[in-house]
């Protein structure tokens, strides 16, 4: 299940209930705030820090759960569907005959945008979000998933797991077409007590990371939407209509004229 980006009150109600019901709670102390577990777990629940053990040790706990009829809550940071190694756990639990439920969580990229007060999709500026990371590092990337190739779309990007190589990240984004003045949000440990949210240009990112010693737990939001202003969604325009609302005739006429001229 996903514990959210950090703060204990950003865990979902369902996630909190699953922790409260669990006989064993497995969580990574390096990535999940202790309060996310301690505020919800039963006093008699067994708490296991997964940052100290390997996948095989976790499987031993799953086998014990199958043999003894225990409930286990495996708590991941953010949303488990993003870099959560959830598939190998799901497959192992199914092989053991355990009933499995994946509880989604608030991802760090959504939390970072909220803290920064920015929208990732702005009409006529960006309507897509690319979630990715810089190639290289411990986990190989598929050959077609290069940062510079994604950057060619020119839309909003949320780049994870890349702060230790911020200079290389900037080089790849430039190669993909982002200009030096492209707006960037640098989000470190969003929603934790020591969170840090900074805004800068693309050509300032490497210096910002060095100045603040941001090597881990840092996410980058990149793209023109992060600096956009003065645009308006048509959804709530008085000239727009949908199943539940009729348009104002004069506003509808003006809206259609504006579309034709653009």
């Amino acid at each position: 299940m996903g514990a959210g980006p950090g703060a204990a009150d950003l865990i979902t109600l369902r996630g909190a209930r699953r922790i409260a019901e669990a006989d064993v709670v497995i969580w990574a102390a390096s990535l999940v705030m202790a309060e996310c577990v301690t505020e919800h777990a039963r006093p008699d629940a067994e708490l296991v820090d997964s940052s100290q053990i390997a996948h095989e040790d976790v499987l031993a706990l799953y086998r014990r759960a199958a043999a003894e009829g225990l409930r286990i809550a495996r708590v991941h940071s953010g949303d488990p569907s993003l870099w959560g190694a959830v598939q190998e756990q799901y497959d192992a639990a199914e092989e053991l005959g355990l009933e499995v439920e994946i509880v989604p969580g608030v991802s760090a990229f959504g939390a970072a945008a909220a803290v920064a007060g920015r929208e990732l999709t702005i009409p006529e500026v960006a309507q897509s979000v690319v979630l990715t990371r810089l190639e290289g590092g411990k986990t190989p990337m598929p050959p077609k998933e290069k940062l510079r190739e994604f950057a060619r779309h020119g839309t909003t990007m949320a780049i994870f797991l890349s702060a230790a190589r911020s200079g290389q990240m900037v080089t790849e984004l430039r190669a993909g077409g982002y200009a030096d003045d492209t707006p960037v949000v640098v989000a470190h440990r969003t929603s934790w007590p020591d969170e840090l949210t900074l805004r800068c240009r693309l050509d300032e990112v490497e210096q910002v990371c060095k100045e603040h010693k941001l090597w881990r737990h840092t996410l980058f939001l990149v793209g023109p939407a992060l600096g956009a202003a003065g645009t308006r969604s048509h959804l709530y325009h008085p000239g727009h209509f949908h199943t539940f609302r009729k348009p104002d005739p004069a506003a509808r006429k003006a809206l259609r004229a504006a579309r034709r001229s653009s």
Side-chain angles (χ1 to χ4, degrees):
M1 56 156 289
D9 59 355
L10 281 177
I11 195 170
T12 66
L13 293 173
R14 183 179 298 183
R17 283 198 297 269
R18 296 299 177 263
I19 291 175
E21 295 165 352
D23 302 296
V24 181
V25 181
I26 306 172
W27 63 294
S30 59
L31 299 172
V32 178
M33 282 183 63
E35 289 79 4
C36 289
V37 173
T38 58
E39 288 186 9
H40 304 294
R42 300 195 323 252
D44 63 332
E46 180 182 351
L47 306 183
V48 180
D49 180 4
S50 63
S51 66
Q52 304 293 320
I53 60 177
H55 177 61
E56 286 71 18
D57 301 306
V58 174
L59 293 184
L61 292 169
Y62 289 173
R63 285 191 287 270
R64 208 179 101 207
E68 300 177 17
L70 303 176
R71 285 189 174 186
I72 290 184
R74 178 73 189 269
V75 184
H76 290 273
S77 61
D79 184 271
S81 65
L82 294 173
W83 299 287
V86 71
Q87 193 63 54
E88 62 190 26
Q89 297 172 61
Y90 186 93
D91 294 342
E94 280 211 318
E95 286 182 10
L96 291 168
L98 292 170
E99 183 180 349
V100 181
E101 176 190 23
I102 299 177
V103 179
V106 177
S107 179
F109 79 90
V115 170
R118 308 310 298 171
E119 186 175 348
L120 302 179
T121 55
I122 299 292
E124 301 173 8
V125 178
Q127 289 290 284
S128 303
V129 181
V130 176
L131 309 179
T132 189
R133 65 174 179 83
L134 180 64
E135 57 268 17
K138 296 179 181 178
T139 304
M141 291 279 281
K144 294 183 179 180
E145 295 188 13
K146 302 294 185 183
L147 196 62
R148 66 175 61 193
E149 296 303 324
F150 286 132
R152 296 190 198 285
H153 293 282
T155 189
T156 307
M157 297 183 71
I159 306 173
F160 294 73
L161 306 169
S162 304
R165 295 175 292 143
S166 59
Q168 182 183 349
M169 180 189 74
V170 169
T171 297
E172 291 299 307
L173 291 173
R174 281 174 171 151
Y178 281 110
D180 281 347
D181 63 353
T182 301
V184 179
V185 171
V186 183
H188 174 70
R189 289 168 68 89
T190 299
S191 84
W192 290 64
D194 60 345
E195 75 172 3
L196 180 66
T197 305
L198 303 166
R199 297 184 190 179
C200 64
R201 295 162 38 118
L202 182 63
D203 59 0
E204 298 170 332
V205 167
E206 187 175 9
Q207 181 57 40
V208 166
C209 289
K210 288 180 178 178
E211 179 181 345
H212 295 276
K213 297 180 173 59
L214 304 180
W215 319 126
R216 302 174 67 239
H217 305 304
T218 302
L219 166 70
F220 302 94
L221 302 177
V222 184
L226 299 168
T231 60
R232 178 175 179 177
S233 169
H234 289 171
L235 180 59
Y236 296 103
H237 192 287
H240 180 73
F241 68 93
H242 53 68
T243 305
F244 302 96
R245 190 182 75 229
K246 294 181 179 180
D248 175 81
R252 178 66 179 166
K253 184 177 180 179
L255 181 61
R256 294 179 70 178
R259 285 175 174 169
R260 285 194 297 268
S261 63
S262 59

